[in-house]
Amino acid sequence: MDHSFTSALVLLLLVLDPLGSIPIFISVLRGVTPERRTRVALREACIAFAVLALFMVGGQHFLTLMRLSERSLEVAGGVILIIIAIRMIFKGGSEIYGSDDTGREPFIFPLAVPLLAGPSAMATVLLLASRQPERLLDWAGALTAAMVICATVLLLAEKIRVWLGASMVSAIEKLMGLVLTAVAVEMILAGLKRYFLQPL
């Protein structure tokens, strides 16, 4: 299936899921001082963009160099997501990514990677670039627009929490944990199915 700029942008937004990640944004940034949150949010969004851009340009070469397949990427990504999803359902928000109480700012993990630039997002940009490499500039533009939207949601996460209320944020967190569990299982099954249909 050939994608347009708009369809690629929508696809990336669905994969990145900034609205569904609001509870995690809030819990991870809770220990960051208010005057630092904007800088941290923009920094993490830029790191995520750089990771996905690099993967879009050189992801296939990296997988070839490491002798990895997209199937292994799907299975590994599914395993990581299901661990995160279980923590979302059964633990508090601050424990989703094993956060501690030392007040340290998040750096790369968990906001940039794997929350924004996760395995599913890496696989998506790799797929776009490999199927239509002649339109790389279009995919780069779609990725840029999607990341700007994600950064905006990240910056407004605390205000959204106030609008929704703590109980609603907690309910969304549990619900997204259930949804993420299903997505993770689907990724694992898809990777295993492709492995058995097209073994290495």
Side-chain angles (χ1 to χ4, degrees):
M1 175 182 175
D2 291 340
H3 286 281
S4 64
F5 175 89
T6 303
S7 65
L9 174 59
V10 172
L11 176 62
L12 287 169
L13 286 175
L14 290 174
V15 171
L16 294 170
D17 190 21
L19 293 178
S21 300
I22 286 176
I24 307 175
F25 290 164
I26 294 170
S27 63
V28 173
L29 290 176
R30 187 173 292 133
V32 180
T33 57
E35 60 271 16
R36 289 280 302 169
R37 286 176 186 169
T38 297
R39 181 177 297 180
V40 170
L42 292 177
R43 181 190 68 203
E44 297 302 297
C46 289
I47 292 173
F49 173 79
V51 170
L52 291 178
L54 286 173
F55 210 78
M56 177 181 287
V57 173
Q60 193 62 56
H61 298 294
F62 174 77
L63 292 180
T64 302
L65 179 65
M66 299 299 294
R67 297 185 179 180
L68 299 174
S69 66
E70 293 180 27
R71 291 160 286 184
S72 63
L73 185 65
E74 281 183 314
V75 174
V79 171
I80 293 172
L81 288 181
I82 203 167
I83 293 172
I84 293 172
I86 290 173
R87 289 181 175 178
M88 287 176 67
I89 296 171
F90 295 107
K91 294 187 178 182
S94 62
E95 299 176 349
I96 291 172
Y97 288 97
S99 301
D100 52 37
D101 296 324
T102 60
R104 291 182 299 177
E105 292 183 357
F107 182 65
I108 301 179
F109 178 88
L111 289 183
V113 180
L115 190 58
L116 292 175
S120 57
M122 293 177 185
T124 300
V125 296
L126 188 151
L127 190 63
L128 287 171
S130 62
R131 286 187 175 179
Q132 294 176 277
E134 72 281 358
R135 299 188 60 191
L136 190 60
L137 288 179
D138 287 341
W139 311 145
L143 176 61
T144 302
M147 197 55 64
V148 167
I149 294 173
C150 288
T152 302
V153 173
L154 182 58
L155 291 171
L156 296 176
E158 188 62 30
K159 291 184 179 179
I160 295 173
R161 183 194 66 80
V162 174
W163 295 337
L164 295 178
S167 59
M168 182 62 69
V169 169
S170 178
I172 293 174
E173 184 177 2
K174 305 296 183 186
L175 177 61
M176 291 312 301
L178 291 172
V179 174
L180 193 58
T181 302
V183 172
V185 171
E186 190 67 30
M187 286 181 65
I188 294 172
L189 292 177
L192 293 175
K193 180 179 179 181
R194 289 208 294 168
Y195 172 79
F196 286 114
L197 290 178
Q198 301 174 351
L200 294 173

